[in-house]
Amino acid sequence: MKTAYINNTPHQFKEDETILNFVKRVVGEKIIPTLCDAPNLEAFGSCRICSVDVALEKDGPTKVMASCHTPVSTDMYIYPSSESIQELRKNIIELVISDHPLECLTCEVNGNCQLQDVVGEVGLRDVRYPKEFENHLDYKKDLSHPYMTSDFSKCINCYRCVRACDEVQGQFVLSMAGRGFDAHIVKGEEQNFFESACVSCGACAQACPTSAISDVFESKSTKADEKTRTICTYCGVGCNLEVSTKNGEILSIQAPIDAEVNAGHTCLKGRYAFKFYNHEERLRQPLIKKNGEFEEVSWDEAYEYITSKMSSFKDEFGPDSMAGISSSRCTNEENYLMQKFFRAVIQTNNIDGCARVCHSPTALGMQRTFGTGAATNSVDDLDDTNCIMVIGANPTSGHPVTGAKMKQFAMKTDNISIVIDPRKTEIANYATHHLQLRPGTNVAVLNMMMHYIIIEGLADEKFIADKTEGFDNYKKSLLNINIDKLEEVSGVNRELVRQAAIAYATAPNAMSFHGLGVTEQYQGTFTVMQIADLALLTGNIGRRGVGVNPLRGQNNVQGAADMGVQPHQGAGYLDITNDDVNRKYNAFYGATVPKHIGYKIPEMFEAALEGKLKALWIIGEDVVQTDPNTQKVIKALNSTDLVIVQELFMTETAKYADVVLPGASFLEKSGTFTNGERRIQAVRKVVEPQGNSKVDGQIIIDVMNRMGYTQPDYDAKTMLEEISQIVPFFAGVKWDELGKRGKQWPVAKGGTDTQILHTDTFKRGKGKFVYNEFAESREILKHGDEYPYILTTNRDLEHYNCGAMTRRTGNVEIHTEDVLWINPEDAAEKNIKEGDKVCVESPRGKVDLSAFITDGVKPGILSTTFHFPEIMVNNLTSDEHCTEAHCPEYKVVSVKMRKSKGEFARK
Ligand code: SF4
């Protein structure tokens, strides 16, 4: 380390340390005041409040320098608080205050305003400049948006909001217009927040040091009497949230700067879409349907009803007459309990959940190739990669904080980004290569890519020889593929594929991210295996900045699968058909767990339709709205004697229940969620459950106890202790040691976690190449002629899954309905105009959607979301599924379309 001087005292400074950071580290945080500086933004040097005197020799002439962006150099003499510097700071602040409303006492951020703090720190008492001169105090407030607000009379032109919008979110909505006195912040093209392209992430509001930009929850005010750190309930990114409460009510949510996952950032769902928690429609009392109507009952009555029916079904029809669907919204501990209830108390393996439904091909495909079915690396590795391949994922909508990081990556000049997707997603607009393939042809394109890597001599021969098996046959098959045919079926020019393949293979480090556009397909598992093969082929596995990284959908999809919410694997992915595993579970649970594989969700519905399923307990999953082939799901529920739905709201599924149990939201319970990076993070209770609702884990335990199985009351710490004894990769997980960054599994007994998988060997020994040929989806083969368009479904930024939570927040004002993406050529051919209602029909049913005409999809391809129950898009989707993992094929639906008639015609 080298030496520099602060007030003539020598200190050692770090490489690339700025004067500001050096002084803060050595002398203290409060020595140098700042305004335009922020911990998650690049140094900018605009406000000059952080100026210090600097000499290059002892007692030499000094120069004023902005400390925030000036690096320390050897033998620099720094005087952070000289008399002239203090005077300079006071003068700067005096000028700022001369054009600032003096209404601190009524200001939202009174007591938590950085400008107010700095005024105090520099000792400014009076402003010498008269107020009657021209100023900016009459700016109108912008209250156009359901969340974002602005009052630019409070703006001090520090650029923090502009930089947050650019550097954190990458949205470029905010900018500075005008010069000198006219300099001012603009949104979009001088629009208001609502009209602009703002995505409401709130990064600007959090960055603003005053209340010039804020939000309707006044997140920066200090009115809270408690702040609790917890984890977002929406997507698998797993953002940390800091929730402010007063008198048991939630006031607002901010993003902690020191969070490893999100470092002060969130999307609008995590930061603002929380008001569902005490919405008037929350279920607050158990309900039993009597004579076709729900009636409120006590918990005792509900429990008695459930347990007596389940016990009699068990006696009369056997354990396999019952099944459970657990929830990726719930904690690990609750998912563990739900599968334990079915395995140890009911004694069936009929337990499944959306964790298996949507990413089962990921688990299976990666297990086949590597031996472990989870992300190999962390999102943070974007800092160390040169190339990303995003396939079948729309991260800026589905995983927005990760999506924002990818956008930042893609915008940097030397970085390569490859997007393989049928839609021009936002990330595709920034990509170096966008392979806009026909839905259902991922295997065709990936086989072409690997073919070119081999014939261009870019395979990593040493890695392949040392760490893999099966390559010779694999190579032979790849060299024999029919490029003409694959080019035709995929609709992607071979030269584009070749260039993307070369870019991936020649990057020093390349990492892939995939989503449901990979898994929810007929060849989902094969596609995952190919993505893994691509990493093996190019040696991109086992170090930072590489690997295969599934973007997990719901917040705790990873955790629910880890906990055994699958009919074929118990807690810790142990094979339930294996004798040793069976003995282990039996001994641990003190019960006899069956060894035969249970029903997957579609098989539960089939069994119900065949009269074999007597009871179905569903927690936090709206199968009617989100599972494919809605009418079939409804028939199955109607055919089941006892349907128990544990929910926050009266969802479409809950309407078909016999018993509705009011569960608790993530804000009302403790436990852990595991994000898409295998990171186990602490969820901490913020408020009490609403009304007479209960923590979901406690409900399961109450039923367990009433059915004769002793299970202690729900407590996150003790539950985690139990889990750590049966799930091998949780061996060292302790509630008290999760800290602020959580732990990435596997966690060894001593508590050491694992950031990168497969650094030496693979769990299965060697990485295994298996060639899989492209095959057309059965849906297209069966129905393609009569239903010539392909519909692919996806998600929007503003809503999550069935939208039960987000539709009960301000998000519904931003995004109001599911719309249909149609290419202009198709729209012209069918005489459809923007906003017209379009009737989309599949072999299963039809729905009417408003047209959104865009070249974001190619001719012949349609796209929509499934967030609104009024539309029920899953009336269209089919029972087709991945051949290996049985994941439903939501992404390829054969449909026809026409302009709507009758009540849906354009008014
Ligand atoms: Fe973060 Fe996802 Fe929650 Fe948005 S939805 S705040 S990206 S965890």
Side-chain angles (χ1 to χ4, degrees):
M1 288 228 269
K2 297 168 187 166
T3 303
Y5 298 80
I6 301 174
N7 293 329
N8 296 330
T9 305
H11 298 281
Q12 294 195 316
F13 63 90
K14 297 178 185 170
E15 195 69 28
D16 296 330
E17 199 165 26
T18 62
I19 294 176
L20 179 65
N21 289 340
F22 177 48
V23 173
K24 275 185 173 179
R25 180 173 60 79
V26 172
V27 189
E29 287 284 326
K30 290 278 176 195
I31 301 301
I32 302 177
T34 59
L35 273 178
C36 73
D37 188 61
N40 58 342
L41 302 177
E42 297 287 327
F44 195 60
S46 76
C47 75
R48 318 309 278 187
I49 294 295
C50 70
S51 295
V52 294
D53 272 333
V54 174
L56 296 180
E57 58 186 9
K58 188 155 195 266
D59 299 328
T62 59
K63 195 173 171 190
V64 175
M65 292 181 141
S67 65
C68 68
H69 69 154
T70 308
V72 190
S73 59
T74 305
D75 293 337
M76 195 179 244
Y77 285 76
I78 300 159
Y79 304 97
S81 310
S82 65
E83 218 169 284
S84 60
I85 282 295
Q86 291 194 43
E87 198 54 34
L88 172 69
R89 289 177 187 152
K90 205 167 168 178
N91 287 340
I92 294 170
I93 287 296
E94 187 179 7
L95 279 169
V96 172
I97 290 295
S98 70
D99 194 4
H100 195 86
L102 298 178
E103 47 190 51
C104 291
L105 290 180
T106 54
C107 181
E108 170 203 330
V109 294
N110 185 27
N112 192 32
C113 171
Q114 290 178 39
L115 179 61
Q116 205 176 39
D117 292 348
V118 172
V119 168
E121 283 165 31
V122 301
L124 182 71
R125 297 281 172 270
D126 297 309
V127 175
R128 291 166 292 171
Y129 308 107
K131 279 278 177 204
E132 49 276 16
F133 287 152
E134 207 179 347
N135 57 44
H136 300 92
L137 302 182
D138 57 355
Y139 267 119
K140 278 211 175 70
K141 289 184 184 176
D142 176 1
L143 303 174
S144 61
H145 193 278
Y147 297 131
M148 311 304 303
T149 62
S150 72
D151 175 0
F152 287 150
S153 69
K154 311 261 176 72
C155 179
I156 60 170
N157 288 6
C158 67
Y159 282 76
R160 274 167 68 164
C161 59
V162 177
R163 288 147 60 213
C165 193
D166 295 359
E167 295 171 21
V168 178
Q169 179 58 33
Q171 204 63 19
F172 305 99
V173 169
L174 300 173
S175 56
M176 186 67 85
R179 287 177 171 268
F181 183 79
D182 290 330
H184 63 287
I185 302 290
V186 294
K187 302 158 198 151
E189 295 164 13
E190 297 270 13
Q191 295 157 302
N192 62 31
F193 262 127
F194 196 78
E195 293 159 349
S196 75
C198 170
V199 290
S200 336
C201 71
C204 56
Q206 184 158 338
C208 173
T210 70
S211 64
I213 294 187
S214 187
D215 56 59
V216 295
F217 302 112
E218 301 191 343
S219 308
K220 290 183 284 189
S221 79
T222 50
K223 289 176 204 138
D225 46 32
E226 205 172 338
K227 292 191 175 184
T228 310
R229 186 157 170 154
T230 191
I231 307 300
C232 178
T233 189
Y234 288 109
C235 86
V237 173
C239 290
N240 288 220
L241 308 176
E242 191 176 75
V243 189
S244 296
T245 46
K246 191 176 175 71
N247 301 327
E249 293 280 316
I250 296 173
L251 299 179
S252 63
I253 293 180
Q254 288 279 66
I257 290 285
D258 61 355
E260 181 141 332
V261 171
N262 52 312
H265 193 207
T266 65
C267 73
L268 84 165
K269 295 190 285 285
R271 194 188 296 267
Y272 296 133
F274 63 88
K275 287 298 278 180
F276 69 87
Y277 93 93
N278 62 353
H279 192 278
E280 57 180 7
E281 290 169 9
R282 264 294 293 274
L283 296 167
R284 291 176 165 87
Q285 188 71 28
L287 306 169
I288 294 181
K289 201 178 265 171
K290 297 177 182 172
N291 302 320
E293 298 288 330
F294 282 118
E295 283 183 20
E296 289 194 352
V297 296
S298 66
W299 277 103
D300 274 342
E301 188 179 342
Y303 286 149
E304 176 55 32
Y305 188 86
I306 293 167
T307 54
S308 64
K309 288 224 168 207
M310 287 186 122
S311 300
S312 69
F313 291 147
K314 190 174 173 184
D315 292 342
E316 198 176 340
F317 303 105
D320 288 341
S321 67
M322 286 175 277
I325 298 177
S326 195
S327 175
S328 295
R329 286 269 176 272
C330 286
T331 62
N332 285 327
E333 295 71 19
E334 292 170 329
N335 277 291
Y336 170 80
L337 281 165
M338 184 67 168
Q339 65 86 36
K340 183 177 175 182
F341 169 73
F342 274 92
R343 292 200 157 102
V345 184
I346 300 294
Q347 295 170 310
T348 176
N349 285 305
N350 291 344
I351 176 74
D352 203 2
C354 86
R356 195 206 53 76
V357 173
C358 294
H359 263 290
S360 48
T362 294
L364 183 59
M366 290 175 77
Q367 276 169 12
R368 284 183 183 176
T369 307
F370 300 147
T372 300
T376 61
N377 289 62
S378 309
V379 174
D380 192 41
D381 285 21
L382 282 169
D383 290 342
D384 291 290
T385 195
N386 312 89
C387 172
I388 57 170
M389 180 177 85
V390 181
I391 172 166
N394 182 12
T396 55
S397 288
H399 305 84
V401 163
T402 298
K405 289 180 186 172
M406 286 181 185
K407 231 159 68 169
Q408 299 289 352
F409 174 90
M411 284 188 284
K412 294 201 177 101
T413 321
D414 293 331
N415 290 343
I416 302 287
S417 43
I418 301 162
V419 173
I420 305 178
D421 203 284
R423 303 191 315 147
K424 269 189 205 159
T425 55
E426 189 180 2
I427 194 78
N429 290 329
Y430 293 88
T432 327
H433 308 275
H434 177 202
L435 310 183
Q436 196 173 3
L437 76 180
R438 171 166 74 81
T441 62
N442 287 327
V443 167
V445 169
L446 287 167
N447 274 347
M448 286 163 81
M449 276 182 79
M450 288 189 279
H451 169 90
Y452 286 122
I453 288 171
I454 290 173
I455 62 172
E456 295 283 342
L458 297 174
D460 186 336
E461 305 284 353
K462 179 160 177 14
F463 184 93
I464 292 166
D466 292 349
K467 298 200 169 186
T468 71
E469 61 189 25
F471 183 64
D472 290 342
N473 284 340
Y474 187 76
K475 179 176 172 182
K476 208 185 290 170
S477 302
L478 273 180
L479 290 177
N480 283 328
I481 60 172
N482 183 338
I483 291 281
D484 293 340
K485 181 185 159 208
L486 299 184
E487 185 179 41
E488 191 193 330
V489 295
S490 66
V492 186
N493 178 288
R494 69 183 69 191
E495 183 53 24
L496 281 182
V497 179
R498 195 180 75 88
Q499 286 172 13
I502 292 171
Y504 180 94
T506 54
N509 289 323
M511 64 194 299
S512 71
F513 295 90
H514 71 265
L516 304 184
V518 161
T519 56
E520 291 176 346
Q521 308 236 1
Y522 181 61
Q523 290 196 293
T525 303
F526 294 158
T527 310
V528 173
M529 289 167 74
Q530 282 180 306
I531 295 168
D533 288 342
L534 187 58
L536 293 181
L537 184 65
T538 53
N540 276 307
I541 195 88
R543 59 179 191 277
R544 255 185 89 81
V546 300
V548 177
N549 300 281
L551 293 167
R552 309 310 301 255
Q554 299 196 48
N555 55 325
N556 201 28
V557 161
Q558 181 69 53
D562 297 347
M563 294 300 108
V565 174
Q566 319 193 78
H568 62 300
Q569 291 173 326
Y573 297 104
L574 305 182
D575 176 1
I576 52 121
T577 63
N578 178 289
D579 286 336
D580 290 340
V581 169
N582 186 252
R583 276 192 286 275
K584 183 174 167 155
Y585 283 142
N586 289 348
F588 192 71
Y589 296 148
T592 306
V593 178
K595 276 177 56 190
H596 58 278
I597 293 173
Y599 294 143
K600 299 181 178 76
I601 293 174
E603 292 166 341
M604 292 176 193
F605 296 148
E606 293 291 347
L609 292 170
E610 289 166 18
K612 291 195 278 190
L613 195 73
K614 300 297 169 194
L616 178 61
W617 185 354
I618 305 173
I619 300 185
E621 184 78 16
D622 189 353
V623 291
V624 170
Q625 194 181 328
T626 61
D627 274 37
N629 202 345
T630 304
Q631 295 311 316
K632 184 174 173 183
V633 175
I634 291 172
K635 270 189 210 142
L637 294 181
N638 282 335
S639 308
T640 307
D641 292 5
L642 173 66
V643 176
I644 306 160
V645 174
Q646 194 165 313
E647 258 300 350
L648 302 180
F649 297 101
M650 184 56 72
T651 58
E652 295 307 304
T653 303
K655 290 175 187 168
Y656 292 92
D658 300 288
V659 184
V660 176
L661 303 175
S665 76
F666 80 113
L667 294 159
E668 298 149 14
K669 61 173 88 164
S670 293
T672 53
F673 291 156
T674 305
N675 80 352
E677 309 165 304
R678 299 170 277 107
R679 192 185 300 274
I680 307 152
Q681 303 193 95
V683 178
R684 298 182 182 88
K685 180 172 161 182
V686 179
V687 289
E688 291 300 322
Q690 291 286 303
N692 211 0
S693 64
K694 282 193 185 200
V695 170
D696 298 83
Q698 187 59 48
I699 298 172
I700 302 166
I701 288 172
D702 290 345
V703 175
M704 288 171 102
N705 283 317
R706 280 168 186 257
M707 290 190 74
Y709 187 95
T710 306
Q711 179 75 37
D713 276 353
Y714 185 81
D715 170 70
K717 184 174 174 173
T718 49
M719 281 310 310
L720 211 45
E721 274 165 20
E722 180 175 332
I723 293 166
S724 69
Q725 292 167 45
I726 190 72
V727 174
F729 46 85
F730 267 56
V733 179
K734 292 196 173 70
W735 175 256
D736 296 332
E737 292 175 8
L738 288 173
K740 288 182 170 174
R741 64 170 293 277
K743 297 227 172 178
Q744 284 173 279
W745 66 250
V747 182
K749 273 224 156 91
T752 309
D753 71 344
T754 313
Q755 272 94 58
I756 304 169
L757 297 181
H758 318 308
T759 48
D760 296 322
T761 56
F762 294 96
K763 178 119 189 274
R764 64 175 303 285
K766 292 201 163 191
K768 186 174 184 183
F769 284 104
V770 176
Y771 173 74
N772 290 298
E773 201 171 24
F774 166 73
E776 188 65 86
S777 159
R778 265 199 311 239
E779 167 81 349
I780 307 264
L781 293 177
K782 277 202 259 177
H783 304 295
D785 289 342
E786 196 184 342
Y787 297 87
Y789 292 90
I790 300 177
L791 175 75
T792 185
T793 62
N794 48 77
R795 284 199 276 245
D796 272 313
L797 167 68
E798 288 81 9
H799 292 290
Y800 215 83
N801 219 16
C802 68
M805 297 192 290
T806 48
R807 282 186 288 101
R808 291 177 171 95
T809 68
N811 289 26
V812 82
E813 293 172 48
I814 305 172
H815 191 91
T816 54
E817 62 174 333
D818 296 318
V819 296
L820 185 72
W821 286 29
I822 310 176
N823 182 275
E825 277 181 35
D826 291 336
E829 194 189 311
K830 299 278 179 184
N831 193 24
I832 291 167
K833 307 226 167 20
E834 183 79 16
D836 278 352
K837 284 285 184 197
V838 181
C839 177
V840 182
E841 183 176 352
S842 82
R844 276 74 50 182
K846 54 184 166 186
V847 301
D848 291 83
L849 292 150
S850 300
F852 172 63
I853 299 171
T854 169
D855 68 355
V857 285
K858 286 181 169 180
I861 310 299
L862 305 170
S863 171
T864 190
T865 50
F866 54 93
H867 304 304
F868 289 84
E870 305 80 28
I871 294 175
M872 282 289 191
V873 166
N874 280 311
N875 274 311
L876 302 174
T877 47
S878 76
D879 288 341
E880 296 298 345
H881 48 72
C882 164
T883 52
E884 308 300 292
H886 291 229
C887 173
E889 192 178 36
Y890 290 99
K891 302 295 179 186
V892 180
V893 185
S894 292
V895 296
K896 53 188 174 189
M897 64 150 173
R898 59 170 168 77
K899 203 159 151 174
S900 299
K901 297 176 188 159
E903 67 169 307
F904 294 110
R906 197 175 196 185
K907 300 282 188 294

